[in-house]
Amino acid sequence: MSATTRRFALAAAGGALLGVFAASAVQAADPKLSVRVDWTPWGMHAGLHLAKQKGWFKEAGVDVEISDGKGSSLLMQQVAAGDVDVGWAQIGTMMVAACKGLPVKAVAVLARAGDLGFMADKSKYKSLADLKGQKLAYAATSGAGPFLDTFLKAAGVSKRDFKVVNVDASSLVSVYTSGEAEASFSTVGFFLPIVSKKRPAYGITMASVGIHIPSYGLVSTQKVIDAKAEALKRFVPVVGKAWTYIFESDANLDEAIDAIASQRPNEKLDTAVMKGQAAIYKELGLFSTKRTMDKTFGWTHPDDMADAHKVLEAVELCKPGKATADFYTNRFVGG
């Protein structure tokens, strides 16, 4: 063999060897998932950021990228379009989007009880009945608006018992903190720690009267579920693990909130408010229903989802004909 031929043979062998190494590296790489949350950082993002900060996703063998969103409704469109693999969003909003034809479904429901409700002064009012005759504010066009009559009926009262005023969604906090209204109807877990800085408040939730429109969870599409099943199998349990850890102690909750601040250094974040937001979901028991008390974080009871589906049909946010089982899967959660 000539020297020239020998050099070509060695080069070819080296190239083949590099190709083997490259192929091995590709095979060894962790599967990737793009995850987008509903809004700019707030307390209920703690589980995702904590798991990222502590390297739990990496340990599970999945490469997770977390980005911020601009509302659950827009996020549903982005998930449906394939812009992101998974969204952290209101499951009730997801169900409405699915009823309108978007190909979205829940792969884990973390906060399984309804977090919509009234913010009121606990020193004055212990229940909705105590608020009779008072001014109640709500935004008819908000995500909470369509549920007002159903909520009041379940609580044994009606609009006739109050002075109900329809305001712009952006005014729900100010009308309560200013004293213009004695209660505001919105997402209790998000707003309560914010309004409490200016006026004492607690939450009277739909969950407290037995209405469970699922709150926050992980949403994807059947296309992603089929194509990235292994990544989801690794990812979903870690999010549940993170929330289990967070609720074990106050120090763990602080650690989770610090993880958000660490990963979003350019945001002007009120860590006390964010901690209060996450804590509210635990204090009000919003992570579980009676049917899911002994179940893994993220697991959905079929009857809970069926009940929520009936409420959505009753308030005409879903038309009859949609199969409840199409809204979710427990495939990645376990029992």
Side-chain angles (χ1 to χ4, degrees), residues 71 109 126 133 174-175 196 213 274 277 280:
V109 183
K126 307 299 182 186
S174 61
V175 295
S196 295
I213 304 297
M274 291 197 301
Q277 289 169 331
I280 284 295

Side-chain angles (χ1 to χ4, degrees), residues 55-258:
W56 287 342
F57 291 133
K58 186 176 182 180
E59 288 176 9
V62 59
D63 183 0
V64 177
E65 177 190 359
I66 304 170
S67 59
D68 299 336
K70 295 183 178 180
S72 286
S73 295
L74 175 60
L75 181 53
M76 290 306 93
Q77 298 175 38
Q78 294 168 335
V79 171
D83 295 340
V84 290
D85 298 319
V86 179
W88 171 265
Q90 285 273 4
I91 300 301
T93 300
M94 179 279 298
M95 294 174 73
V96 173
C99 285
K100 292 180 179 179
L102 290 185
V104 289
K105 69 191 306 180
V107 294
V109 183
L110 276 298
R112 293 168 283 199
D115 59 354
L116 300 178
F118 280 100
M119 295 170 287
D121 189 335
K122 192 173 185 177
S123 66
K124 297 180 180 179
Y125 312 107
K126 307 299 182 186
S127 67
L128 279 175
D130 293 337
L131 280 157
K132 285 184 177 181
Q134 301 299 325
K135 183 182 287 187
L136 307 184
Y138 87 116
T141 57
S142 70
F147 300 103
L148 179 62
D149 289 324
T150 300
F151 181 24
L152 295 177
K153 181 179 179 180
V157 292
S158 71
K159 280 184 179 178
R160 295 188 300 273
D161 296 315
F162 312 97
K163 300 172 184 175
V164 178
V165 293
N166 179 19
V167 301
D168 186 86
S170 62
S171 301
L172 284 169
V173 169
S174 61
V175 295
Y176 176 76
T177 56
S178 67
E180 290 181 49
E182 288 299 290
S184 280
F185 186 48
S186 189
T187 308
V188 170
F190 181 85
F191 284 111
L192 194 59
I194 297 174
V195 302
S196 295
K197 295 175 68 175
K198 295 185 177 181
R199 184 182 179 188
Y202 83 117
I204 306 172
T205 64
M206 294 208 300
S208 69
V209 295
I211 301 175
H212 299 294
I213 304 297
S215 182
Y216 282 91
L218 301 169
V219 177
S220 191
T221 64
Q222 192 62 51
K223 183 177 180 179
V224 171
I225 290 171
D226 293 337
K228 298 193 174 185
E230 184 59 35
L232 290 168
K233 182 180 177 181
R234 301 177 187 187
F235 165 72
V236 171
V238 173
V239 181
K241 169 186 174 180
W243 279 105
T244 300
Y245 176 87
I246 287 169
F247 287 155
E248 285 177 351
S249 72
D250 194 57
N252 289 0
L253 175 54
D254 285 335
E255 183 182 359
I257 299 303
D258 289 343

